[in-house]
Amino acid sequence: MGRQPCCDKQGVKRGPWTAEEDNKLVSFILTHGRCCWRAVPKLAGLLRCGKSCRLRWTNYLRPDLKRGLLTADEEKLVVDLHAKLGNRWSKIAAKLPGRTDNEIKNHWNTHIKKKLIKMGIDPATHQPLANTKAASPIGTTSQSTSFKSSDTVNQLDSKGTHGEGVSRPTDSSEHSSRNTSDDDQDLLANLLLEEELPVDEPWLNFESSNDDEFSSIIGQLLCDGPTDWLLDYQDVGMGGSSLIDQDFGSPSSNLTEGAVRSSEESKF
DNA sequence: AAGTCTAGCAACCGCTTTTCC
DNA sequence: GGGAAAAGCGGTTGCTAGACT
């Protein structure tokens, strides 16, 4: 109650950071290390609030940051982790060295989310869009075998306090409130501690899928449906290790832009 | 060429969690 | 144990560059 704002708004600069401000912040942190963020702007001679300094450092100035678009492998990992963890961007980012939660969140919202929707996948639940509310029209076997990530998460639920296994905290409305039960937290922590997280999103792993039913669905999409989703799939760079790349020989398109960005933004 | 629209991303806001006294 | 401060986190906003008309 009555909490003080992180900084008084008057006399505090906002908006994009200048190169000079960046230099001040970087040189200060490199010489003094990360101390109390509230004190940083004053000590570094910046007219910013501490929160803004922390954000700038963690999202942009940290020397260990990778720049450029996410690689195909990274995107696969993001989708897979999102299926398990939901919008816990910091947890997802922790599994991608050199990437920030903000970067991953932005990439998810601007690239991956749209592609999944176009593919008929609900990005919040990782279920086919038609199946998000009603029981599966395709068939229960299809759902249970093809969308393992959601099932994995459903299993978590069934072990926890809610045993229905229908809805799942990958829903964005549930992410905003962090009331996950302790059991779920433990399970999530276990997931985070796993050395290798299996990539079990079916659309990312066609070649390893032995599921005939899923293959037939993909076949249907290829034969009957519009195929522009396939092109989008390649655009988003998810086809790196999939049959799509191998069979149709289309390269990932995210290399050039990443190279341009990284060359532009390598200030240090 | 000029105006409008859209996508992408950096930064901000406000809430929650953690830490300290 | 309780309250305040600091840090962390996720959602949202707003600016900018490129595409489109």
Side-chain angles (χ1 to χ4, degrees), chain A residues 190-209:
Chain A
N190 288 338
L191 282 169
L192 288 168
L193 289 171
E194 284 175 11
E195 196 58 36
E196 282 192 0
L197 286 154
V199 178
D200 53 11
E201 296 295 327
W203 53 88
L204 300 176
N205 202 21
F206 294 137
E207 57 194 335
S208 63
S209 171

Side-chain angles (χ1 to χ4, degrees), chain A residues 70 74-76 78-79 104 106-119 121 123 126 203 236 238:
Chain A
L70 272 68
E74 285 174 324
E75 281 191 345
K76 284 168 66 176
V78 168
V79 174
I104 291 170
N106 280 334
H107 192 79
W108 175 270
N109 286 328
T110 57
H111 292 95
I112 302 175
K113 204 169 165 182
K114 289 176 193 169
K115 304 307 172 186
L116 290 179
I117 289 170
K118 267 195 172 182
M119 291 167 64
I121 306 292
H126 293 251
W203 53 88
V236 82
M238 295 163 82

Side-chain angles (χ1 to χ4, degrees), chain A residues 146 206 209-222:
Chain A
S146 300
F206 294 137
S209 171
N210 293 323
D211 188 328
D212 291 337
E213 197 158 3
F214 179 67
S215 301
S216 73
I217 293 166
I218 294 299
Q220 263 190 314
L221 285 167
L222 286 169

Side-chain angles (χ1 to χ4, degrees), chain A residues 143-250:
Chain A
Q143 192 178 357
S144 62
T145 54
S146 300
F147 294 88
K148 295 178 202 166
S149 292
S150 299
D151 286 346
T152 305
V153 183
N154 282 339
Q155 286 170 8
L156 296 182
D157 258 358
S158 67
K159 290 178 185 175
T161 49
H162 3 34
E164 296 183 11
V166 177
S167 65
R168 159 71 252 157
T170 47
D171 182 291
S172 57
S173 63
E174 294 192 40
H175 300 150
S176 56
S177 65
R178 295 171 210 167
N179 294 331
T180 318
S181 70
D182 289 342
D183 284 351
D184 283 352
Q185 290 291 8
D186 288 345
L187 289 161
L188 288 170
N190 288 338
L191 282 169
L192 288 168
L193 289 171
E194 284 175 11
E195 196 58 36
E196 282 192 0
L197 286 154
V199 178
D200 53 11
E201 296 295 327
W203 53 88
L204 300 176
N205 202 21
F206 294 137
E207 57 194 335
S208 63
S209 171
N210 293 323
D211 188 328
D212 291 337
E213 197 158 3
F214 179 67
S215 301
S216 73
I217 293 166
I218 294 299
Q220 263 190 314
L221 285 167
L222 286 169
C223 297
D224 300 333
T227 54
D228 52 347
W229 70 276
L230 188 58
L231 298 172
D232 291 329
Y233 186 95
Q234 296 163 25
D235 282 344
V236 82
M238 295 163 82
S241 64
S242 73
L243 278 180
I244 292 172
D245 257 8
Q246 292 175 1
D247 289 350
F248 299 96
S250 86

